[in-house]
Amino acid sequence: MAIDPQDSAILTANTPRNADYVKMAGVPVIDEITKICGVCNVPVTVGTKHCKPCNKCVEDFDHHCKFLSTCIGSKNYKPFLVTVISAGITAP
């Protein structure tokens, strides 16, 4: 059964947003008004997203890299680019 995260019943249900619920429903966990992550319970900055596979907040979230098994954000974007470029150069 698929859950529509924008369904008004889901948005107004005030269901605790634990990690299992987030992975199941795919609902946004960062409150737009207070800028607090409902899973991590920490204040976040603009551009921060909660990564569902890693279950952590990532500043300036770009994507979750399944090859490196980590999130790509502001703190590791340059090493990620170096890895991608190096792999591209050395590929036959």
Side-chain angles (χ1 to χ4, degrees), residues 2-18:
I3 296 175
D4 180 11
Q6 298 305 319
D7 184 352
S8 61
I10 298 293
L11 294 173
T12 59
N14 292 327
T15 303
R17 294 179 174 178
N18 63 25

Side-chain angles (χ1 to χ4, degrees), residues 21-71:
Y21 180 76
V22 170
K23 288 180 182 179
M24 176 186 70
V27 297
V29 296
I30 297 177
D31 189 299
E32 292 296 320
I33 298 168
T34 62
K35 294 292 183 196
I36 294 177
C37 177
V39 175
C40 300
N41 293 319
V42 295
V44 295
T45 60
V46 174
T48 300
K49 301 268 192 266
H50 187 87
C51 179
K52 294 171 190 151
C54 291
N55 195 29
K56 64 180 178 181
C57 286
V58 180
E59 188 176 1
D60 295 326
F61 181 81
D62 186 62
H63 69 284
H64 178 84
C65 182
K66 65 180 181 179
F67 302 107
L68 299 176
S69 188
T70 190
C71 299

Side-chain angles (χ1 to χ4, degrees), residues 58 68 70-81:
V58 180
L68 299 176
T70 190
C71 299
I72 306 303
S74 64
K75 294 186 178 182
N76 65 350
Y77 198 75
K78 287 180 185 177
F80 169 73
L81 284 179

